[in-house]
Amino acid sequence: MKADKYRFDGSRACDLRALSCDGKDDAPDKDEIIAKTAENLQKMAALQDAFYADGREGLIIVLQALDAAGKDGTVKHVMSGLNPQGVQVTSFKQPNSEELKHDFLWRVNKALPPRGTIAIFNRSYYEDVLVVQVHDLQKTYQMADRVLGESKKAFFKKRYRQIRNYEEYLFDNSYRIVKIFLNISKKEQKKRFLERIDNPAKNWKFSSSDLAERAHFDEYLDVYADVIDATATPESPWYALPADRKWYTRYLVSEIVLDALQQCSHAYPQLDAAAQAALKDCRTQLEAE
């Protein structure tokens, strides 16, 4: 799987600046990749049907990225072939006043899918160790001095541990987690921002606050690398995918989701002898009408 070169499971360090943002080193053929993506979507749809019927595992796909990296487009194009009845998408915005009164995983726990369902987190609990860390927002939290009185490094080290423990807990409760970071270059982000400004149909996607966040671009890369290193495990790996060319990004995401579904339990339930006999009786009654 081409995405394996972008996979981090804790066995090696993540250096985002050393990773390609366009995937050109992979020498992909665009027409071939688009065709393979379409094939993957068909395979995903077939597996999802059995996965939904089986109902023994849940799949959580975490999408994280800097602004304009293509999270919404990835959800739209890669997940379009799935049965919406078995998919739930949650976008995590800045915590509201109610959410801030609880622990940082409270709102995420409410968004967990039933087993047999795929959950897509457009941003996630990782915001609480990313934007919070970059902007020192933890200083504004209403928490005890014993928590906020420690150093910034100690505070987030504990959060990393809590996230690892939480993901281990989910895995042990029959959920699989795949975490994807869309690795956009600063040059490409600028290009997409300008497109949003110049195209009236995309104006709504742009905010002046996006420029304020862009000023922290390099800092975000450093924090993302730290977060990936601290929370990547074999059971809950990270993928830092090149995001500058959307058609290639979507292919890689389709490969990852397909692989995750293949690893999940996806056998259609088998009826016992009594249930099969009842089906035969129903068939006989229908044919007799």
Side-chain angles (χ1 to χ4, degrees), residues 34-50:
I34 291 174
K36 285 185 176 180
T37 303
E39 292 176 11
N40 285 345
L41 297 189
Q42 291 182 341
K43 293 177 182 177
M44 286 163 51
L47 284 172
Q48 185 215 3
D49 188 63

Side-chain angles (χ1 to χ4, degrees), residues 76-140:
K76 177 181 178 181
H77 289 86
V78 179
M79 309 302 170
S80 61
L82 298 178
N83 183 346
Q85 185 175 355
V87 179
Q88 62 183 53
V89 180
T90 304
S91 296
F92 289 92
K93 307 295 185 181
Q94 184 173 340
N96 59 36
S97 58
E98 173 67 14
E99 291 167 340
L100 286 171
K101 292 178 181 178
H102 296 80
D103 66 274
F104 78 100
L105 292 172
W106 178 76
R107 62 175 180 161
V108 179
N109 217 48
K110 293 199 304 177
L112 290 180
R115 283 185 281 268
T117 304
I118 300 171
I120 302 167
F121 290 171
N122 189 338
R123 300 191 187 277
S124 67
Y125 47 95
Y126 278 98
E127 293 297 290
D128 289 88
V129 291
L130 291 164
V131 64
V132 172
Q133 188 167 185
V134 170
H135 293 289
D136 281 329
L137 297 180
Q138 77 281 0
K139 294 179 179 179
T140 68

Side-chain angles (χ1 to χ4, degrees), residues 117-183:
T117 304
I118 300 171
I120 302 167
F121 290 171
N122 189 338
R123 300 191 187 277
S124 67
Y125 47 95
Y126 278 98
E127 293 297 290
D128 289 88
V129 291
L130 291 164
V131 64
V132 172
Q133 188 167 185
V134 170
H135 293 289
D136 281 329
L137 297 180
Q138 77 281 0
K139 294 179 179 179
T140 68
Y141 289 173
Q142 296 295 312
M143 301 175 75
D145 291 341
R146 64 179 176 81
V147 178
L148 296 181
E150 59 191 358
S151 69
K152 179 178 179 179
K153 181 178 180 180
F155 180 88
F156 286 103
K157 183 177 181 180
K158 286 183 178 179
R159 290 223 158 168
Y160 296 156
R161 171 176 54 79
Q162 291 159 2
I163 287 174
R164 289 195 305 272
N165 290 344
Y166 182 65
E167 292 177 345
E168 181 181 3
Y169 163 81
L170 291 177
F171 186 80
D172 289 344
N173 279 273
S174 208
Y175 288 88
R176 292 183 184 271
I177 306 173
V178 174
K179 301 170 292 191
I180 297 172
F181 171 64
L182 302 182
N183 189 21

Side-chain angles (χ1 to χ4, degrees), residues 35-79:
K36 285 185 176 180
T37 303
E39 292 176 11
N40 285 345
L41 297 189
Q42 291 182 341
K43 293 177 182 177
M44 286 163 51
L47 284 172
Q48 185 215 3
D49 188 63
F51 171 77
Y52 182 79
D54 184 90
R56 287 182 292 161
E57 284 199 274
L59 177 60
I60 301 169
I61 301 168
V62 172
L63 280 177
Q64 290 286 158
L66 297 177
D67 293 323
K71 297 186 304 301
D72 293 345
T74 297
V75 173
K76 177 181 178 181
H77 289 86
V78 179
M79 309 302 170

Side-chain angles (χ1 to χ4, degrees), residues 67 135 189 193 196-197 202-216:
D67 293 323
H135 293 289
Q189 186 191 59
F193 278 169
R196 292 180 177 186
I197 291 172
K202 294 185 177 182
N203 287 170
W204 64 275
K205 288 187 174 184
F206 184 79
S207 168
S208 58
S209 63
D210 293 339
L211 285 185
E213 287 299 283
R214 179 174 166 81
H216 298 278

